[in-house]
Amino acid sequence: MPQKPNPLSSIKVNGPIPAHLARSVIEKTLRAAILDGRIPCGTALRQQDLADLFGVSRMPVREALRQLEAQALLNVIAHKGAVVAPLVQGDAVETYALRILLESEALRLSVPLLTHEDFEQAAGYIDELETEHDYTEIGRLNRLFHMAMYCKAPNRRLLRLVEDGLNEEERFLRFNLEAMGLGKLSQEDHRALLRAVEDRDVERAVKLLEHHLNRGVEVITNYLNSPEAQSRKTSK
Ligand code: NI
């Protein structure tokens, strides 16, 4: 019988890790490997395997896994431990419905407090998106643009939830954007949204954001139901 390749074998550890850096090194390394697909969805990560791999005790491993769980990259499942989360958790429609609630509220709170520098930064991300062709970068810039719109919302817990949603989307886009082809369409949304925000027109901005996210859910739902997406689901 052919042996399944061990996903952890793709991870290279360069020499001993100083104890005080262990947690962050493990977290960063695993995060990168989950995001670029070297450790596929559904992989169970055993604390002892990771401790052996990184040459550390289980304590920093446990802490790193907890961080990744908080970023919605891992789910802790009874009897299985930490398992790499699926690309879209649950139902895409429900996920986006929640994101619309959370992001509209963050936008409402943030718009009156945004500064000229925030506008410039957001415009910079749009410009970068214009010329970027690497899907990994596109996902990252989309997240940064959105966060730039919400960043002044004083409710930090709300912002954390918003960022979890954007992280989840970024990971999904990284694997599927090429097949979905969303590019130019969302650029126009982004520009219109930024204009409304610059005018401090909260209601118009919220409407445009809802429209933008609803279009996202439409494209993703159509895509997930397409034969092409079905055939890509092998690594679930
Ligand atoms: Ni967007």
Side-chain angles (χ1 to χ4, degrees):
M1 238 177 88
Q3 270 222 301
K4 253 194 170 176
N6 176 4
L8 292 185
S9 65
S10 68
I11 293 175
K12 300 280 162 277
V13 180
N14 304 320
I17 303 169
H20 69 287
L21 295 176
R23 183 197 59 76
S24 76
V25 169
I26 297 167
E27 181 191 334
K28 260 194 227 136
T29 309
L30 291 179
R31 189 180 145 85
I34 292 171
L35 286 178
D36 66 22
R38 276 176 290 147
I39 309 182
C41 310
T43 307
L45 296 175
R46 292 187 52 234
Q47 290 183 15
Q48 193 56 55
D49 292 348
L50 293 169
D52 294 345
L53 174 68
F54 288 97
V56 296
S57 73
R58 283 168 68 155
M59 195 161 65
V61 170
R62 200 157 36 227
E63 288 168 3
L65 293 179
R66 209 171 289 150
Q67 295 294 321
L68 295 167
E69 190 195 356
Q71 295 161 31
L73 292 174
L74 295 176
N75 292 326
V76 173
I77 295 174
H79 310 299
K80 251 189 131 178
V83 175
V84 177
L87 282 177
V88 174
Q89 307 228 32
D91 184 326
V93 177
E94 291 176 0
T95 304
Y96 270 77
L98 271 180
R99 282 190 52 199
I100 290 172
L101 282 180
L102 296 171
E103 292 186 32
S104 312
E105 181 61 9
L107 186 63
R108 255 181 234 287
L109 296 172
S110 180
V111 165
L113 302 171
L114 287 169
T115 64
H116 189 70
E117 285 72 45
D118 295 321
F119 298 151
E120 280 191 341
Q121 192 159 44
Y125 294 135
I126 295 180
D127 289 344
E128 280 185 69
L129 277 165
E130 210 64 74
T131 53
E132 187 58 64
H133 297 289
D134 175 46
Y135 292 103
T136 302
E137 268 302 291
I138 291 174
R140 190 182 72 91
L141 289 166
N142 178 65
R143 170 174 55 84
L144 291 174
F145 167 77
H146 280 265
M147 281 311 285
M149 301 282 90
Y150 316 140
C151 66
K152 288 293 184 326
N155 186 334
R156 309 317 290 180
R157 291 191 68 171
L158 172 65
L159 274 187
R160 229 173 298 144
L161 290 173
V162 163
E163 199 159 23
D164 287 349
L166 284 164
N167 276 325
E168 193 184 326
E169 178 182 54
E170 180 184 351
R171 185 160 159 256
F172 178 82
L173 292 180
R174 190 181 299 243
F175 291 100
N176 297 283
L177 199 56
E178 188 167 15
M180 289 196 308
L182 198 65
K184 289 290 161 210
L185 227 65
S186 56
Q187 276 297 81
E188 282 156 31
D189 288 0
H190 286 165
R191 287 199 189 282
L193 177 59
L194 179 58
R195 271 194 303 273
V197 166
E198 281 174 328
D199 293 345
R200 312 264 181 203
D201 187 337
V202 176
E203 291 317 311
R204 180 158 59 97
V206 167
K207 273 224 174 64
L208 287 165
L209 177 65
E210 285 176 357
H211 175 76
H212 177 56
L213 293 177
N214 275 322
R215 178 140 65 190
V217 73
E218 218 172 275
V219 175
I220 288 180
T221 312
N222 285 340
Y223 167 70
L224 288 175
N225 292 328
S226 70
E228 186 178 6
Q230 298 294 335
S231 68
R232 287 174 135 224
K233 271 190 181 164
T234 44
S235 63
K236 211 182 154 184

